[in-house]
Amino acid sequence: MKLVKDLPEIFASFSEQRQKSFLAVKEWKDKGKPVVGSYCTYFPKEIAMAAGAASVSLCATSDETIPEAEKDLPKNLCPLIKSSYGFAKTDKCPFFYFSDVVVGESTCDGKKKMYELMSEFKDVFFLRLPHEQTEKAVALYRDEIVRLKDYLEQKFEVKITEEMVREATRVNNRANKALKDLYSVMKHDPTPVSGYDIFKVLYGSTFRFDRAALADEVNALREKIEREYTEGKHFEKRPRILITGCPIGGATEKVIRAVEDNGGVVIGYENCSGEKAVGIQVEEDAEDIYEALSRRYLAIGCSIMTPNKNRFDSLSEMIDEYHADGVLDMTLQACHTYAIETNKVHRFVTEEKGIPYINVETDYSQTDIGQLNTRVAAFIEML
């Protein structure tokens, strides 16, 4: 196997970013600067950035705190929701502890009720997210984004001007473009690196405060990968798997490992760990910057949207551009919207795109690793 020399150390620095950020968020707070926490890609972080706040992703991908969460929440609830609430309730997430406010959103019913409980011990601002991608929905979400701006102005005693929002938009656009350009290196066949290495950068980036510095670092990393690829340093040629479905991170990284430990390579992430989070740009020069933000975030192809045309457009584009040999659709137990879409995704992938498909349902435990490896290995062997 040919691997890019010196890259593992660089990638490791991103995978350790969460631990480093625990210290960084305390230092940020010690300087008297605000912190805004969130759980979802529908959160318009540009507004928090314009307010001078650090925008941080909150802990939500481990079964460590689920038993504590189940004292308040039903056992048959989505593990992502139970984990999120458990970390918040037990104060085992430093990002949550140091957040001045958590911005929630009405994605699914479970999260909506979770935020209601969470508001009993933390300030929560609740964004009323439309579940359709129409002009009326754009107008409604624009008003919600302005309402968030007004709230942060009052809470942090700052004035957020339109130019501040535009500047934050330019900075975040550049960071998102850098991340998208990075994972675009996986269009090469064979790939320059493993899909797990790319994932560590994407996941680690969600814990970075300085989005401008992030863009520079990611661009430098991509240039290094491309340069060494031209020198013949690359990952071995393997069946190319595109992952779609629920968010991946923490405990569910077992799905990535199941692919790459059994002879495949993950060439892309059409979920909140990849394309959904960074694949869409805000129109920086739009006449109404708040409307532009609303359009950008409502364009995310999440299963809570109905109909969800944008998810299938993104899947089609990524299957073609990344030359996918197969699609793995990961659903979390009790995530009803993604579970309901699996049949449509199955038909789309196998009938319209003409490549194999596998669905795996899992949770945040490690009890299904053996079964997961068996199924994924058989799928890759078929390819």
Short mmCIF file of all heavy atoms in Angstrom, two decimals, residues 222-248:
data_model
loop_
_atom_site.label_atom_id
_atom_site.label_comp_id
_atom_site.label_asym_id
_atom_site.label_seq_id
_atom_site.Cartn_x
_atom_site.Cartn_y
_atom_site.Cartn_z
N ARG A 222 -4.42 20.45 1.39
CA ARG A 222 -4.85 19.96 0.07
C ARG A 222 -3.72 20.08 -0.95
O ARG A 222 -3.48 19.15 -1.74
CB ARG A 222 -6.08 20.74 -0.42
CG ARG A 222 -6.52 20.35 -1.85
CD ARG A 222 -7.68 21.21 -2.31
NE ARG A 222 -7.42 22.62 -2.16
CZ ARG A 222 -6.69 23.35 -3.01
NH1 ARG A 222 -6.11 22.77 -4.07
NH2 ARG A 222 -6.52 24.64 -2.81
N GLU A 223 -3.02 21.21 -0.94
CA GLU A 223 -1.91 21.39 -1.89
C GLU A 223 -0.82 20.35 -1.67
O GLU A 223 -0.23 19.84 -2.63
CB GLU A 223 -1.34 22.81 -1.74
CG GLU A 223 -2.28 23.89 -2.24
CD GLU A 223 -1.86 25.28 -1.80
OE1 GLU A 223 -0.77 25.41 -1.19
OE2 GLU A 223 -2.62 26.24 -2.05
N LYS A 224 -0.56 20.00 -0.41
CA LYS A 224 0.44 18.97 -0.10
C LYS A 224 -0.01 17.60 -0.63
O LYS A 224 0.78 16.86 -1.22
CB LYS A 224 0.67 18.92 1.41
CG LYS A 224 1.69 17.86 1.85
CD LYS A 224 1.88 17.90 3.36
CE LYS A 224 2.85 16.82 3.83
NZ LYS A 224 4.22 17.00 3.32
N ILE A 225 -1.28 17.30 -0.42
CA ILE A 225 -1.82 16.02 -0.91
C ILE A 225 -1.70 15.93 -2.42
O ILE A 225 -1.25 14.92 -2.98
CB ILE A 225 -3.28 15.85 -0.47
CG1 ILE A 225 -3.37 15.69 1.05
CG2 ILE A 225 -3.91 14.63 -1.16
CD1 ILE A 225 -4.79 15.71 1.58
N GLU A 226 -2.11 16.99 -3.11
CA GLU A 226 -2.08 17.00 -4.58
C GLU A 226 -0.63 16.89 -5.09
O GLU A 226 -0.35 16.18 -6.05
CB GLU A 226 -2.74 18.27 -5.12
CG GLU A 226 -4.24 18.35 -4.91
CD GLU A 226 -5.02 17.46 -5.87
OE1 GLU A 226 -4.41 16.63 -6.56
OE2 GLU A 226 -6.26 17.59 -5.91
N ARG A 227 0.26 17.60 -4.44
CA ARG A 227 1.66 17.58 -4.86
C ARG A 227 2.25 16.18 -4.71
O ARG A 227 2.93 15.67 -5.62
CB ARG A 227 2.47 18.59 -4.03
CG ARG A 227 3.94 18.70 -4.43
CD ARG A 227 4.62 19.83 -3.72
NE ARG A 227 4.68 19.66 -2.28
CZ ARG A 227 3.94 20.36 -1.41
NH1 ARG A 227 3.08 21.28 -1.85
NH2 ARG A 227 4.04 20.15 -0.10
N GLU A 228 1.99 15.55 -3.60
CA GLU A 228 2.55 14.22 -3.38
C GLU A 228 1.83 13.16 -4.23
O GLU A 228 2.43 12.14 -4.57
CB GLU A 228 2.49 13.87 -1.89
CG GLU A 228 3.34 14.83 -1.07
CD GLU A 228 3.67 14.29 0.31
OE1 GLU A 228 3.07 13.28 0.74
OE2 GLU A 228 4.54 14.90 0.97
N TYR A 229 0.59 13.43 -4.59
CA TYR A 229 -0.12 12.50 -5.48
C TYR A 229 0.53 12.48 -6.87
O TYR A 229 0.68 11.42 -7.49
CB TYR A 229 -1.60 12.90 -5.60
CG TYR A 229 -2.45 11.88 -6.31
CD1 TYR A 229 -2.82 10.69 -5.67
CD2 TYR A 229 -2.89 12.08 -7.62
CE1 TYR A 229 -3.61 9.75 -6.31
CE2 TYR A 229 -3.67 11.14 -8.27
CZ TYR A 229 -4.03 9.97 -7.60
OH TYR A 229 -4.80 9.03 -8.24
N THR A 230 0.95 13.67 -7.33
CA THR A 230 1.62 13.73 -8.64
C THR A 230 2.97 13.02 -8.60
O THR A 230 3.49 12.62 -9.65
CB THR A 230 1.84 15.20 -9.09
OG1 THR A 230 2.69 15.86 -8.15
CG2 THR A 230 0.51 15.94 -9.18
N GLU A 231 3.52 12.85 -7.39
CA GLU A 231 4.79 12.13 -7.23
C GLU A 231 4.58 10.62 -7.09
O GLU A 231 5.53 9.88 -6.88
CB GLU A 231 5.53 12.67 -6.01
CG GLU A 231 5.92 14.15 -6.12
CD GLU A 231 6.43 14.73 -4.81
OE1 GLU A 231 6.41 13.98 -3.79
OE2 GLU A 231 6.82 15.91 -4.79
N GLY A 232 3.32 10.19 -7.21
CA GLY A 232 3.03 8.76 -7.17
C GLY A 232 2.71 8.20 -5.81
O GLY A 232 2.63 6.98 -5.64
N LYS A 233 2.50 9.06 -4.81
CA LYS A 233 2.18 8.59 -3.46
C LYS A 233 0.67 8.60 -3.29
O LYS A 233 0.04 9.66 -3.35
CB LYS A 233 2.85 9.48 -2.43
CG LYS A 233 4.36 9.50 -2.54
CD LYS A 233 4.97 10.55 -1.63
CE LYS A 233 6.48 10.64 -1.84
NZ LYS A 233 7.09 11.72 -1.05
N HIS A 234 0.08 7.42 -3.08
CA HIS A 234 -1.37 7.35 -2.99
C HIS A 234 -1.79 6.10 -2.24
O HIS A 234 -0.99 5.20 -1.96
CB HIS A 234 -1.99 7.38 -4.38
CG HIS A 234 -1.48 6.30 -5.30
ND1 HIS A 234 -1.82 4.97 -5.16
CD2 HIS A 234 -0.64 6.36 -6.36
CE1 HIS A 234 -1.24 4.27 -6.10
NE2 HIS A 234 -0.50 5.07 -6.84
N PHE A 235 -3.08 6.06 -1.92
CA PHE A 235 -3.70 4.91 -1.29
C PHE A 235 -3.86 3.82 -2.35
O PHE A 235 -3.94 4.12 -3.54
CB PHE A 235 -5.07 5.32 -0.74
CG PHE A 235 -5.62 4.47 0.35
CD1 PHE A 235 -4.99 4.40 1.58
CD2 PHE A 235 -6.79 3.76 0.17
CE1 PHE A 235 -5.51 3.63 2.61
CE2 PHE A 235 -7.32 2.99 1.19
CZ PHE A 235 -6.68 2.92 2.41
N GLU A 236 -3.94 2.57 -1.91
CA GLU A 236 -4.10 1.50 -2.89
C GLU A 236 -5.48 1.54 -3.54
O GLU A 236 -6.44 2.06 -2.97
CB GLU A 236 -3.89 0.14 -2.22
CG GLU A 236 -4.94 -0.18 -1.17
CD GLU A 236 -4.65 -1.47 -0.46
OE1 GLU A 236 -3.64 -2.12 -0.77
OE2 GLU A 236 -5.44 -1.84 0.43
N LYS A 237 -5.57 1.06 -4.77
CA LYS A 237 -6.84 1.06 -5.49
C LYS A 237 -7.82 0.08 -4.85
O LYS A 237 -7.48 -1.08 -4.62
CB LYS A 237 -6.62 0.70 -6.96
CG LYS A 237 -7.85 0.86 -7.83
CD LYS A 237 -7.50 0.70 -9.30
CE LYS A 237 -8.77 0.76 -10.17
NZ LYS A 237 -9.43 2.08 -10.06
N ARG A 238 -9.00 0.57 -4.54
CA ARG A 238 -10.02 -0.23 -3.85
C ARG A 238 -11.41 0.13 -4.39
O ARG A 238 -11.58 1.19 -5.00
CB ARG A 238 -10.00 0.06 -2.35
CG ARG A 238 -8.74 -0.35 -1.60
CD ARG A 238 -8.86 0.02 -0.15
NE ARG A 238 -7.79 -0.53 0.67
CZ ARG A 238 -7.85 -0.61 2.00
NH1 ARG A 238 -8.92 -0.17 2.64
NH2 ARG A 238 -6.85 -1.12 2.69
N PRO A 239 -12.43 -0.70 -4.10
CA PRO A 239 -13.81 -0.32 -4.41
C PRO A 239 -14.17 0.98 -3.70
O PRO A 239 -13.87 1.18 -2.53
CB PRO A 239 -14.63 -1.49 -3.88
CG PRO A 239 -13.69 -2.66 -3.93
CD PRO A 239 -12.35 -2.09 -3.60
N ARG A 240 -14.85 1.87 -4.44
CA ARG A 240 -15.10 3.23 -3.98
C ARG A 240 -16.52 3.35 -3.43
O ARG A 240 -17.50 3.16 -4.16
CB ARG A 240 -14.87 4.21 -5.15
CG ARG A 240 -13.46 4.11 -5.73
CD ARG A 240 -13.35 4.81 -7.08
NE ARG A 240 -13.56 6.24 -7.00
CZ ARG A 240 -12.62 7.11 -6.66
NH1 ARG A 240 -11.38 6.69 -6.38
NH2 ARG A 240 -12.89 8.40 -6.60
N ILE A 241 -16.63 3.69 -2.14
CA ILE A 241 -17.92 3.72 -1.46
C ILE A 241 -18.29 5.16 -1.08
O ILE A 241 -17.49 5.86 -0.44
CB ILE A 241 -17.90 2.85 -0.17
CG1 ILE A 241 -17.39 1.44 -0.49
CG2 ILE A 241 -19.29 2.81 0.46
CD1 ILE A 241 -18.20 0.68 -1.49
N LEU A 242 -19.49 5.57 -1.44
CA LEU A 242 -20.04 6.86 -1.02
C LEU A 242 -20.98 6.63 0.15
O LEU A 242 -21.84 5.75 0.10
CB LEU A 242 -20.81 7.51 -2.18
CG LEU A 242 -21.52 8.83 -1.88
CD1 LEU A 242 -20.52 9.94 -1.60
CD2 LEU A 242 -22.44 9.22 -3.03
N ILE A 243 -20.80 7.38 1.23
CA ILE A 243 -21.66 7.26 2.41
C ILE A 243 -22.70 8.36 2.40
O ILE A 243 -22.39 9.53 2.19
CB ILE A 243 -20.84 7.30 3.71
CG1 ILE A 243 -20.00 6.02 3.85
CG2 ILE A 243 -21.74 7.45 4.93
CD1 ILE A 243 -19.18 5.94 5.12
N THR A 244 -23.95 7.98 2.66
CA THR A 244 -25.04 8.93 2.80
C THR A 244 -25.81 8.59 4.07
O THR A 244 -25.50 7.63 4.76
CB THR A 244 -25.97 8.89 1.56
OG1 THR A 244 -26.97 9.92 1.67
CG2 THR A 244 -26.66 7.54 1.42
N GLY A 245 -26.80 9.41 4.42
CA GLY A 245 -27.64 9.11 5.57
C GLY A 245 -27.40 10.03 6.76
O GLY A 245 -27.09 11.21 6.60
N CYS A 246 -27.53 9.48 7.96
CA CYS A 246 -27.46 10.25 9.20
C CYS A 246 -26.04 10.77 9.45
O CYS A 246 -25.08 10.28 8.85
CB CYS A 246 -27.89 9.38 10.37
SG CYS A 246 -29.65 8.93 10.36
N PRO A 247 -25.92 11.75 10.37
CA PRO A 247 -24.59 12.28 10.68
C PRO A 247 -23.65 11.20 11.19
O PRO A 247 -24.06 10.30 11.93
CB PRO A 247 -24.88 13.31 11.78
CG PRO A 247 -26.31 13.69 11.59
CD PRO A 247 -26.99 12.46 11.10
N ILE A 248 -22.38 11.29 10.80
CA ILE A 248 -21.35 10.35 11.26
C ILE A 248 -20.35 11.10 12.13
O ILE A 248 -20.00 12.25 11.84
CB ILE A 248 -20.64 9.69 10.07
CG1 ILE A 248 -21.55 8.63 9.44
CG2 ILE A 248 -19.32 9.05 10.48
CD1 ILE A 248 -20.91 7.86 8.32
#
